[in-house]
Amino acid sequence: QVRLQESGPGLVKPSETLSLTCSVSGASISSFYWSWIRQPPGKGLEWIGYRHHSGSTNYSPSLNRRVSISVDTSKNQFSLNLTSVTTADTAVYYCAGLAGRDNFYYLDVWGKGTTVIVSS
Amino acid sequence: DIQMTQSPSSLSASIGDRVTINCRASQSISRYLNWYQQKPGTAPKLLIYAASSLHSGVPSRFSGSGSGTDFTLTISSLQPEDFATYHCQQSYSTSPTFGQGTKVEL
């Protein structure tokens, strides 16, 4: 059974960098496109981006200038960096695995989520 | 970005009811549409992918239909564990987007 677990600071100051890590167990890091999604309080889901272990990446156009996702195959982990954060970046952050079948892609496995608050 | 609009935003239903949730895309997305269920304080779970394909382990009372711009999620007979928020998501573009969610309440 695939399990994902997010970790990282729950509080980040404005203008600083938000850094989260997702640890993967029960699956090879090469199995999925590794993704980050967030959900601001009381709002809907927002896709942040994904990265494949091969290096291909895709980021949300609205976050593209501030976001990077990396994969560490030796640790079976992947990470999110979001720079220059503001209070608008306060959200629950989920890591997830994007899988595909017959060219249809879907978020198949999810972490439990971690709350990040941006505040001074 | 492709905009996804769900309706209604919330609905009240009873056990055993047939429930229908709609999702409309701002442009044609063929059948590149997924549905997720989210309960309070937990991560979303995949229900349906490719508009109508039931994900492994999902009860058969859930079904999806549609193509192009209009899609529907149907719960044939609402069960107590189905009270949750449902999200649609398009995977047609390289920038996936979600609907705003539909909350199903008792």
Side-chain angles (χ1 to χ4, degrees):
Chain A
Q1 185 178 1
V2 182
R3 293 186 188 273
L4 306 181
Q5 178 65 59
E6 302 91 348
S7 60
L11 181 65
V12 181
K13 289 182 168 56
S15 80
E16 295 189 344
T17 296
L18 181 160
S19 296
L20 297 174
T21 296
C22 184
S23 298
V24 180
S25 60
S28 166
I29 203 71
S30 62
S31 302
F32 297 90
Y33 287 80
W34 299 108
S35 308
W36 289 93
I37 299 96
R38 69 182 183 180
Q39 186 169 33
K43 295 188 177 181
L45 299 164
E46 179 184 16
W47 175 76
I48 298 172
Y50 65 73
R51 187 180 187 100
H52 192 253
H53 75 95
S54 64
S56 66
T57 58
N58 209 329
Y59 300 132
S60 166
S62 64
L63 298 172
N64 187 52
R65 293 188 177 188
R66 299 195 291 131
V67 68
S68 66
I69 298 173
S70 59
V71 173
D72 188 335
T73 55
S74 66
K75 295 182 179 179
N76 239 38
Q77 293 178 338
F78 61 104
S79 299
L80 168 71
N81 274 358
L82 184 65
T83 62
S84 304
V85 297
T86 70
T87 55
D89 295 311
T90 293
V92 176
Y93 285 76
Y94 295 100
C95 60
L98 182 72
R101 181 176 296 180
D102 298 330
N103 212 32
F104 290 95
Y105 288 88
Y106 44 85
L107 293 159
D108 192 11
V109 291
W110 295 70
K112 292 183 178 181
T114 187
T115 298
V116 178
I117 297 172
V118 178
S119 175
S120 55
Chain B
D1 280 3
I2 299 175
Q3 307 301 317
M4 306 301 293
T5 303
Q6 289 182 234
S7 61
S9 296
S10 64
L11 65 90
S12 297
S14 300
I15 303 300
D17 282 354
R18 182 181 181 88
V19 170
T20 299
I21 298 169
N22 301 301
C23 180
R24 174 166 287 176
S26 60
Q27 66 179 75
S28 177
I29 58 170
S30 184
R31 298 179 59 83
Y32 292 89
L33 192 283
N34 306 318
W35 289 98
Y36 301 86
Q37 177 194 66
Q38 185 179 28
K39 297 182 180 180
T42 69
K45 291 182 180 179
L46 177 68
L47 295 175
I48 287 171
Y49 65 96
S52 61
S53 295
L54 202 64
H55 185 51
S56 174
V58 175
S60 59
R61 63 181 180 272
F62 291 93
S63 64
S65 63
S67 66
T69 60
D70 292 299
F71 301 86
T72 300
L73 173 69
T74 300
I75 309 172
S76 61
S77 177
L78 197 66
Q79 298 302 300
E81 60 269 30
D82 300 337
F83 291 97
T85 298
Y86 294 84
H87 306 272
C88 64
Q89 176 243 323
Q90 63 82 13
S91 59
Y92 178 84
S93 78
T94 56
S95 298
T97 46
F98 294 87
Q100 80 279 17
T102 295
K103 188 174 184 179
V104 176
E105 301 174 294
L106 181 63

